[in-house]
Amino acid sequence: MARWLLWSLAMRSLLHQSFDPASRFARLMLAEKGLAARLVETGVGNEALARHNPALTIPVLIDEPPTGGEISVAPVAAIAEYLEEVYRDPPLLPSTSAGRAEARRLLHWFDVKFETEVNALIIRRRLDAKTQGRRWGEPEPIRQAAEAFAWHFDYLNYLLERRAFLAADRLTIADLVAAAHISVSDYFGLVPWSDFPDVRQWYARVKSRPSMRPLLADRLEGAAPAQCYADLDF
Amino acid sequence: MARWLLWSLAMRSLLHQSFDPASRFARLMLAEKGLAARLVETGVGNEALARHNPALTIPVLIDEPPTGGEISVAPVAAIAEYLEEVYRDPPLLPSTSAGRAEARRLLHWFDVKFETEVNALIIRRRLDAKTQGRRWGEPEPIRQAAEAFAWHFDYLNYLLERRAFLAADRLTIADLVAAAHISVSDYFGLVPWSDFPDVRQWYARVKSRPSMRPLLADRLEGAAPAQCYADLDF
């Protein structure tokens, strides 16, 4: 289908940035629910952003739900709940209370803990430099980042010894938020795959889903992706 | 009812800290839903905490839901969704998609933005000093804090010109999270009430609810509350 046709059919937009992990998580949820959306690359100073989200964060989902009206939803945790309530099929949360709590715990694990402990060390610096039109010049805390990765991947490993997916025996928002975050580090070749075969196997399964394809096609100007990035047999 | 009896009836605990805004938010939700819970003051190094929440944050709700089993729920945004799904009456989220999105947006507004821009300036320093058994000695950025408060209260004012409560025309989680955060600053006498009569009027309404009573009775060792703290006609 021609791109403009998809756009005109979808009265739905996502204000996002291609390499922002939270934005990627929103794109994955939309795709898994089969919802087309116009992607609007949005800088933080953008006026549209202030109008739709006074907190000035991305992503923001602008939707016209089946019940009518236009609605702006942010931050990404609220987008997850909104999509799950309004577009139920397929569900991206488990059906039991315990399963739902586990999936939401992991959503915040990545949104807050992984973001602070891993992304902040390297990814954020590179992306910020990029947005500000300069090269990242400072030495990066590579060893610190490697340690943070190892700690987090040990934990994912622990979860995957017990379940087929992170929060349950089927795909949930926990896998999507995790894949969204990990994919950005993977673009820069920072993920220690060889030390974590079980996590790699899980990521290979998520990576081969159609919802991941547009993310794997993203390119950051002036920074080619690591070889493994779009390779399904990495 | 004797306290031990309430405890033994409630197969439900909240790992919390009395002056942690997120913990206070959880206590308010439980009270509004009429759910008794054993409150367990919990330091971050506590072993029970690691077992129930690997992210080592508070609050953590440990519940035995009507469907059976024991379940640990964290962080506070997940506790809000859990309580709303399992104990529906009274609802603390609006019924429309737009209203629910608005209430969730404001939950994260306080949990992230207010926490970073206001609490971090003064409250967190005082509480951290307290937990570490020392007096807060450094000069506090009072002017910065006053500016941050003014900015946030201007925004609450804007919301309250349009609605009786923050996210809707009735009480929702947005009011509870806001009151939880503001109440801690209020204990220290830091809230510029006289400049914001509409916000004060809204807070007076929330403050007079039975759910707020236990919070207003909390005392921090070695730091008496500001006069207005427990006064319903402040």
Side-chain angles (χ1 to χ4, degrees), chain A residues 30 59 61 63 106 109 143 149-150 155 165 177 185 208:
Chain A
L30 287 164
L61 177 67
D63 194 21
L106 290 168
W109 181 279
R143 191 171 138 192
F149 251 117
Y155 185 61
F165 288 89
V177 70
S185 291
S208 60

Side-chain angles (χ1 to χ4, degrees), chain A residues 53-55 67 71-75 77-78 81-82 85-86 97-98 100-101 104-105 108-109 113 151 155, chain B residues 53-55 67 71-75 77-78 81-82 85-86 97-98 100-101 104-105 108-109 113 151 155:
Chain A
N53 180 17
T67 47
I71 179 175
S72 301
V73 191
E81 299 295 341
Y82 170 80
E85 285 178 354
V86 176
S97 295
R100 297 167 83 81
R104 287 176 177 132
R105 180 180 73 81
H108 295 283
W109 181 279
K113 198 173 171 66
W151 189 86
Y155 185 61
Chain B
N53 180 16
T67 47
I71 178 176
S72 300
V73 191
E81 300 294 341
Y82 170 79
E85 285 178 354
V86 176
S97 296
R100 296 167 83 80
R104 287 177 177 131
R105 180 179 74 81
H108 295 284
W109 180 280
K113 197 172 172 67
W151 188 87
Y155 184 61

